Amino acid sequence: MKAIVLKGYGGFDELRYEEAPTPEPGYGEVLIRNHATGVNHCDTDVRRGIFGVAQSFPHVMGVDSAGTVEAVGPGVTAFKPGDRVAPHFLLSCGTCRNCLRGRENICLKGEVLGVTTWGTYAEFTKVRENNVVRLPDGLGFAEAVAAQVPFATAWEALIDVGRLQVGETVLINAAGSGVGSAGIQVAKLAGAHVIATTGSDEKFAAARALGADEVLNYATTNIGEAVYGLTGGLGVDIAFDMVGGDRLLDCVAATADGGRIVTVGAHAGEQVEIDMIEFFRKHISMHGCGRSTRAIVSTVLDLVAQDKLKPVIFKTFDLAEAGAAQEVMESRNFFGRMVMLPEGKE
């Protein structure tokens, strides 16, 4: 099969489009032909060697895709060749204590597709049957892969963990990112008033088009003061952060007394010094999350198929153009998601 094969950590020139062995499905495993593959920040972290989990080389990265079942191994009963599916990036074991309690997102033996195993930057990807999600009828492959990780992440953070309620006010950081653009839509679907932040005025119109009621530029604005001005001095009920660093501090400053913060990432700074006096006096609760379940993925994909949520695709690339796609990702000069097409653009 054709794949982007990583021979070692480094720059974009380490992403080599070449032949690699096609995986063979074993017992309980499903081989997926990828029709669309996503580009994620964790992919760039893997390439650079800063994800925090060592890879053995050669390695194929990529945490998400959408396609069709090419073949199944012995013992597979839920899927057959031709079924439209997507792999779930969190490879749960299905048998540990947490999996049996329905908490596969904190599986005690979990692995991560494209990080600890070969992933989706390839024509084919192999996963266990219990890590496959069926796609709704009528949902395109590019739309499915553009939606899966961002909307599932936003849904878990805002709905499952944050318990966002109708009429609450929510702050969404990094509105131009895949997860940020998804968070705006999930919050609006839940009936919330949305204040979004971005580092570029050029992204304001796109954020408003997705449903943001107000948009602030965190590079030129004191977010805490601006949010208190917009909310009559109350602050937001819930703040959704996916970048860490100073943006997480914006959330603390902007959150109302008794408010919640949900955080799913830290690309802008993993070590954050928080004023704990402000934190406990405001009775803020903060929840770490970012690992969805297959049930959440199915929920959001159904909503996308019903046109209630809409993934934002910034640009599509051929798989061979993975370096260019990752370069756009690292530039942050985009709004939405990059999608790669292993079979080439039509």
Side-chain angles (χ1 to χ4, degrees):
M1 68 176 181
K2 289 291 188 180
I4 296 295
V5 181
L6 191 66
K7 301 293 180 64
Y9 301 128
F12 304 121
D13 58 345
E14 293 293 340
L15 301 176
R16 301 172 189 175
Y17 183 64
E18 60 187 43
E19 289 289 335
T22 301
E24 295 276 348
Y27 186 88
E29 293 180 329
V30 174
L31 182 67
I32 299 171
R33 178 184 289 273
N34 298 319
H35 296 300
T37 293
V39 182
N40 294 274
H41 276 297
C42 64
D43 303 335
T44 64
D45 287 352
V46 168
R47 190 203 78 238
R48 296 167 62 196
I50 60 172
F51 188 86
V53 176
Q55 283 71 46
S56 57
F57 299 107
H59 181 72
V60 175
M61 67 183 72
V63 302
D64 58 350
S65 69
T68 54
V69 174
E70 181 74 9
V72 298
V76 173
T77 59
F79 301 97
K80 65 182 184 304
D83 285 350
R84 302 171 69 256
V85 298
H88 187 229
F89 79 94
L90 184 63
L91 304 176
S92 59
C93 71
T95 59
C96 73
R97 178 187 65 186
N98 289 345
C99 284
L100 294 176
R101 292 175 177 175
R103 297 301 307 277
E104 65 186 46
N105 54 337
I106 51 173
C107 172
L108 298 175
K109 303 175 185 177
E111 296 190 85
V112 180
L113 185 63
V115 177
T116 60
T117 69
W118 275 25
T120 60
Y121 276 36
E123 290 184 284
F124 298 97
T125 298
K126 180 183 71 172
V127 293
R128 290 190 300 272
E129 179 182 25
N130 67 299
N131 297 133
V132 178
V133 177
R134 194 177 299 278
L135 299 182
D137 292 338
L139 181 61
F141 296 118
E143 289 73 24
V145 79
Q148 183 186 167
V149 170
F151 280 110
T153 301
W155 190 277
E156 184 212 14
L158 291 170
I159 307 302
D160 276 29
V161 175
R163 303 297 181 188
L164 182 61
Q165 302 296 311
V166 174
E168 288 191 313
T169 299
V170 58
L171 178 70
I172 306 288
N173 274 342
S177 67
V179 176
S181 61
I184 291 171
Q185 295 182 62
V186 169
K188 290 304 292 185
L189 188 65
H193 182 87
V194 176
I195 302 172
T197 75
T198 175
S200 169
D201 288 0
E202 286 73 26
K203 299 180 181 180
F204 279 26
R208 290 194 179 99
L210 293 178
D213 297 287
E214 285 94 17
V215 188
L216 303 171
N217 187 332
Y218 59 74
T220 59
T221 305
N222 182 307
I223 297 300
E225 291 180 359
V227 166
Y228 272 82
L230 291 170
T231 58
L234 295 176
V236 297
D237 300 291
I238 183 167
F240 181 28
D241 177 59
M242 64 290 297
V243 290
D246 289 342
R247 305 291 73 78
L248 179 60
L249 296 180
D250 288 343
C251 291
V252 175
T255 301
D257 289 359
R260 298 97 72 198
I261 298 172
V262 285
T263 176
V264 301
H267 280 89
E270 297 179 3
Q271 304 294 324
V272 184
E273 185 173 334
I274 295 176
D275 180 353
M276 293 306 297
I277 298 295
E278 178 182 21
F279 193 85
F280 70 69
R281 282 181 177 171
K282 292 172 71 174
H283 283 237
I284 295 172
S285 58
M286 182 158 57
H287 305 268
C289 45
R291 293 181 170 184
S292 62
T293 63
R294 285 173 299 155
I296 292 175
V297 171
S298 294
T299 294
V300 298
L301 291 184
D302 283 341
L303 290 169
V304 173
Q306 297 166 30
D307 291 327
K308 294 182 179 179
L309 297 172
K310 185 174 180 58
V312 179
I313 299 176
F314 177 74
K315 189 174 181 179
T316 59
F317 298 82
D318 289 341
L319 180 61
E321 300 173 310
Q326 287 201 5
E327 190 170 8
V328 174
M329 172 66 74
E330 292 190 1
S331 76
R332 299 188 181 183
N333 186 26
F334 64 94
F335 194 103
R337 292 210 71 191
M338 272 67 70
V339 175
M340 298 186 299
L341 307 177
E343 296 173 319
K345 291 177 282 189
E346 296 181 355

